Amino acid sequence: MSALTIAKWLEYLEDSFLIERAQRYDIRGKHYIGTLPKYFFVDPGIRNSILQFRQIDKGHLMENIVYTELRRRGGQVDVGQIEYRPRKQDGSQPRQQLEVDFVVNEGSQRTYYQSAYTLYDEEQVAREKRPMLQIHDSFRKVLLTSDIYIPWNDDDGVLHLGLFNFLLE
């Protein structure tokens, strides 16, 4: 299949309200990136039915639920990207692109969301927070997990929030 055929099929799926497109947004450069957008199913049940329930990834489903809820609440929902240059022992600084799951703009307010189905250890917490810690502005940063606990802000200013608390806000 050609790229043009795939683009047309994606357009048809969008026009029929089966999927929605989230554009990629460069957080530092403050502009949209021309790379491939990310698509979310409006009803993940349709996706699962098409795939005959073979590829059910709880993390992916949670991300789809969060996207759908953010769209329902209003505002512009994009997928954020930010450049990260970690310094290695040899002194080099290779460029990496980190993804912030969602950047939500509502008027002059912005919120960054990172979703992870569950956080097993500190290494995983650090990996999920890394993109948000590269953002040097004062907008709200939220780390969502399926774990149930009382919402709390860590020392880096990131709000840890359970999925159920988020959906019931």
Side-chain angles (χ1 to χ4, degrees), residues 1 4 6 9 12 18 28 39 48 61 72 74 79 104-105 108 121 124 144 158-159 164 168:
M1 245 192 275
L4 184 60
I6 293 170
W9 275 102
Y12 295 150
L18 292 174
R28 275 208 186 108
Y39 291 92
N48 293 339
L61 287 174
R72 186 193 67 76
V79 175
V104 180
N105 292 303
S108 63
D121 56 21
Q124 191 176 11
L144 294 168
V158 176
L159 172 64
F164 296 112
L168 294 173

CSV table of all heavy atoms in Angstrom, one decimal, residues 1 4 6 9 12 18 28 39 48 61 72 74 79 104-105 108 121 124 144 158-159 164 168:
chain,number,residue,atom,x,y,z
A,1,MET,N,0.8,-1.2,0.0
A,1,MET,CA,0.0,0.0,0.0
A,1,MET,C,0.9,1.2,0.0
A,1,MET,O,1.9,1.3,0.7
A,1,MET,CB,-0.9,0.0,1.3
A,1,MET,CG,-2.3,-0.1,0.9
A,1,MET,SD,-3.4,0.2,2.3
A,1,MET,CE,-3.4,-1.3,3.1
A,4,LEU,N,0.0,7.4,0.1
A,4,LEU,CA,-1.2,8.2,-0.2
A,4,LEU,C,-2.4,7.4,0.1
A,4,LEU,O,-3.4,7.9,0.6
A,4,LEU,CB,-1.1,8.5,-1.7
A,4,LEU,CG,-2.3,9.4,-2.2
A,4,LEU,CD1,-2.3,10.7,-1.5
A,4,LEU,CD2,-2.1,9.6,-3.7
A,6,ILE,N,-2.8,5.0,2.4
A,6,ILE,CA,-2.9,5.0,3.9
A,6,ILE,C,-3.4,6.3,4.4
A,6,ILE,O,-4.3,6.4,5.3
A,6,ILE,CB,-1.5,4.6,4.5
A,6,ILE,CG1,-1.2,3.2,4.2
A,6,ILE,CG2,-1.6,4.8,6.0
A,6,ILE,CD1,0.2,2.8,4.6
A,9,TRP,N,-7.1,6.5,3.8
A,9,TRP,CA,-7.9,5.6,4.7
A,9,TRP,C,-8.0,6.3,6.1
A,9,TRP,O,-9.0,6.3,6.7
A,9,TRP,CB,-7.3,4.3,4.8
A,9,TRP,CG,-7.7,3.4,3.7
A,9,TRP,CD1,-7.1,3.0,2.6
A,9,TRP,CD2,-9.0,2.7,3.7
A,9,TRP,NE1,-7.9,2.2,1.8
A,9,TRP,CE2,-9.1,2.0,2.5
A,9,TRP,CE3,-10.1,2.7,4.5
A,9,TRP,CZ2,-10.2,1.2,2.1
A,9,TRP,CZ3,-11.2,1.9,4.1
A,9,TRP,CH2,-11.2,1.2,2.9
A,12,TYR,N,-10.5,9.0,5.9
A,12,TYR,CA,-11.9,8.4,5.9
A,12,TYR,C,-12.3,8.0,7.3
A,12,TYR,O,-13.4,8.2,7.7
A,12,TYR,CB,-12.0,7.2,5.0
A,12,TYR,CG,-11.8,7.5,3.5
A,12,TYR,CD1,-11.2,6.5,2.7
A,12,TYR,CD2,-12.2,8.7,2.9
A,12,TYR,CE1,-11.1,6.8,1.3
A,12,TYR,CE2,-12.0,8.9,1.6
A,12,TYR,CZ,-11.4,8.0,0.8
A,12,TYR,OH,-11.2,8.2,-0.5
A,18,LEU,N,-14.3,7.6,13.7
A,18,LEU,CA,-13.8,6.3,14.4
A,18,LEU,C,-12.5,6.6,15.0
A,18,LEU,O,-12.2,6.0,16.1
A,18,LEU,CB,-13.7,5.2,13.3
A,18,LEU,CG,-15.0,4.7,12.8
A,18,LEU,CD1,-14.7,3.7,11.7
A,18,LEU,CD2,-15.8,4.0,13.9
A,28,ARG,N,9.7,23.2,23.2
A,28,ARG,CA,10.6,24.3,23.3
A,28,ARG,C,10.5,25.3,22.1
A,28,ARG,O,10.5,26.5,22.3
A,28,ARG,CB,12.1,23.7,23.3
A,28,ARG,CG,12.5,23.3,24.6
A,28,ARG,CD,14.0,23.4,24.8
A,28,ARG,NE,14.3,22.8,26.1
A,28,ARG,CZ,14.9,21.7,26.3
A,28,ARG,NH1,15.3,21.0,25.2
A,28,ARG,NH2,15.1,21.2,27.5
A,39,TYR,N,-2.7,8.7,16.4
A,39,TYR,CA,-4.1,8.5,16.2
A,39,TYR,C,-4.7,7.8,17.4
A,39,TYR,O,-4.0,6.9,17.9
A,39,TYR,CB,-4.4,7.8,14.9
A,39,TYR,CG,-4.1,8.6,13.7
A,39,TYR,CD1,-2.9,8.5,13.1
A,39,TYR,CD2,-5.1,9.4,13.2
A,39,TYR,CE1,-2.7,9.3,11.9
A,39,TYR,CE2,-4.9,10.2,12.1
A,39,TYR,CZ,-3.6,10.1,11.4
A,39,TYR,OH,-3.4,10.9,10.3
A,48,ASN,N,-10.4,-3.2,19.3
A,48,ASN,CA,-10.2,-4.5,19.9
A,48,ASN,C,-11.0,-5.6,19.0
A,48,ASN,O,-10.5,-6.7,18.8
A,48,ASN,CB,-10.6,-4.6,21.3
A,48,ASN,CG,-9.7,-3.8,22.2
A,48,ASN,OD1,-8.6,-3.5,21.8
A,48,ASN,ND2,-10.2,-3.4,23.4
A,61,LEU,N,-4.4,1.2,26.2
A,61,LEU,CA,-5.9,1.5,26.4
A,61,LEU,C,-6.0,2.7,27.4
A,61,LEU,O,-6.9,3.5,27.2
A,61,LEU,CB,-6.6,0.3,27.0
A,61,LEU,CG,-6.8,-0.8,26.0
A,61,LEU,CD1,-7.4,-2.1,26.7
A,61,LEU,CD2,-7.7,-0.4,24.9
A,72,ARG,N,-12.9,15.4,25.8
A,72,ARG,CA,-14.2,15.7,26.2
A,72,ARG,C,-14.3,17.0,27.1
A,72,ARG,O,-15.2,17.7,27.0
A,72,ARG,CB,-14.7,14.5,27.1
A,72,ARG,CG,-16.2,14.6,27.5
A,72,ARG,CD,-16.6,13.6,28.6
A,72,ARG,NE,-15.9,13.8,29.8
A,72,ARG,CZ,-16.2,14.8,30.7
A,72,ARG,NH1,-17.2,15.6,30.5
A,72,ARG,NH2,-15.6,14.9,31.8
A,74,GLY,N,-12.6,19.6,26.7
A,74,GLY,CA,-12.3,20.8,25.9
A,74,GLY,C,-10.9,21.1,25.8
A,74,GLY,O,-10.0,20.4,26.4
A,79,VAL,N,0.2,16.0,21.2
A,79,VAL,CA,1.3,15.1,21.7
A,79,VAL,C,2.6,16.0,21.7
A,79,VAL,O,2.9,16.5,20.7
A,79,VAL,CB,1.5,13.9,20.8
A,79,VAL,CG1,2.7,13.0,21.3
A,79,VAL,CG2,0.2,13.0,20.8
A,104,VAL,N,-2.1,19.9,26.8
A,104,VAL,CA,-3.5,20.5,26.7
A,104,VAL,C,-3.4,22.0,26.9
A,104,VAL,O,-3.0,22.5,27.9
A,104,VAL,CB,-4.4,19.8,27.8
A,104,VAL,CG1,-5.8,20.4,27.6
A,104,VAL,CG2,-4.4,18.3,27.6
A,105,ASN,N,-3.9,22.7,25.9
A,105,ASN,CA,-4.0,24.1,25.9
A,105,ASN,C,-5.5,24.6,26.0
A,105,ASN,O,-6.3,24.2,25.2
A,105,ASN,CB,-3.4,24.8,24.7
A,105,ASN,CG,-1.9,24.5,24.6
A,105,ASN,OD1,-1.2,24.9,25.5
A,105,ASN,ND2,-1.4,23.9,23.6
A,108,SER,N,-5.1,30.6,27.9
A,108,SER,CA,-3.7,30.9,28.3
A,108,SER,C,-3.1,29.8,29.2
A,108,SER,O,-2.0,29.9,29.7
A,108,SER,CB,-3.6,32.2,29.0
A,108,SER,OG,-4.3,32.3,30.2
A,121,ASP,N,9.0,0.9,40.0
A,121,ASP,CA,10.1,1.2,40.8
A,121,ASP,C,10.6,2.7,40.5
A,121,ASP,O,10.0,3.3,39.6
A,121,ASP,CB,11.3,0.3,40.6
A,121,ASP,CG,11.7,0.1,39.1
A,121,ASP,OD1,11.4,1.0,38.3
A,121,ASP,OD2,12.3,-0.9,38.8
A,124,GLN,N,11.5,3.5,36.8
A,124,GLN,CA,10.4,3.7,35.9
A,124,GLN,C,9.8,5.1,36.1
A,124,GLN,O,9.4,5.7,35.2
A,124,GLN,CB,9.4,2.6,36.1
A,124,GLN,CG,8.3,2.6,35.0
A,124,GLN,CD,7.3,1.5,35.1
A,124,GLN,OE1,7.3,0.7,36.1
A,124,GLN,NE2,6.5,1.3,34.1
A,144,LEU,N,-0.1,10.5,35.4
A,144,LEU,CA,-1.2,9.6,35.7
A,144,LEU,C,-0.9,8.1,35.7
A,144,LEU,O,-0.2,7.7,34.8
A,144,LEU,CB,-2.3,9.8,34.6
A,144,LEU,CG,-2.9,11.2,34.5
A,144,LEU,CD1,-3.7,11.3,33.2
A,144,LEU,CD2,-3.8,11.4,35.7
A,158,VAL,N,5.8,17.7,40.2
A,158,VAL,CA,4.9,16.9,39.3
A,158,VAL,C,3.8,16.3,40.2
A,158,VAL,O,4.1,15.8,41.3
A,158,VAL,CB,5.7,15.8,38.7
A,158,VAL,CG1,4.8,14.8,37.9
A,158,VAL,CG2,6.8,16.3,37.8
A,159,LEU,N,2.6,16.5,39.8
A,159,LEU,CA,1.4,16.0,40.5
A,159,LEU,C,1.2,14.5,40.1
A,159,LEU,O,1.1,14.2,38.9
A,159,LEU,CB,0.1,16.8,40.1
A,159,LEU,CG,-1.2,16.2,40.7
A,159,LEU,CD1,-1.2,16.2,42.2
A,159,LEU,CD2,-2.4,17.0,40.1
A,164,PHE,N,-8.5,7.0,38.3
A,164,PHE,CA,-9.8,7.1,38.8
A,164,PHE,C,-10.1,8.5,39.4
A,164,PHE,O,-11.1,9.1,39.1
A,164,PHE,CB,-10.2,6.0,39.8
A,164,PHE,CG,-10.1,4.7,39.2
A,164,PHE,CD1,-9.2,3.7,39.6
A,164,PHE,CD2,-11.0,4.3,38.2
A,164,PHE,CE1,-9.1,2.5,39.0
A,164,PHE,CE2,-11.0,3.0,37.7
A,164,PHE,CZ,-10.0,2.1,38.1
A,168,LEU,N,-12.7,11.3,37.8
A,168,LEU,CA,-13.8,11.8,38.6
A,168,LEU,C,-13.7,13.3,38.9
A,168,LEU,O,-14.5,13.8,39.6
A,168,LEU,CB,-13.9,11.0,39.9
A,168,LEU,CG,-14.2,9.5,39.8
A,168,LEU,CD1,-14.1,8.8,41.1
A,168,LEU,CD2,-15.6,9.4,39.2
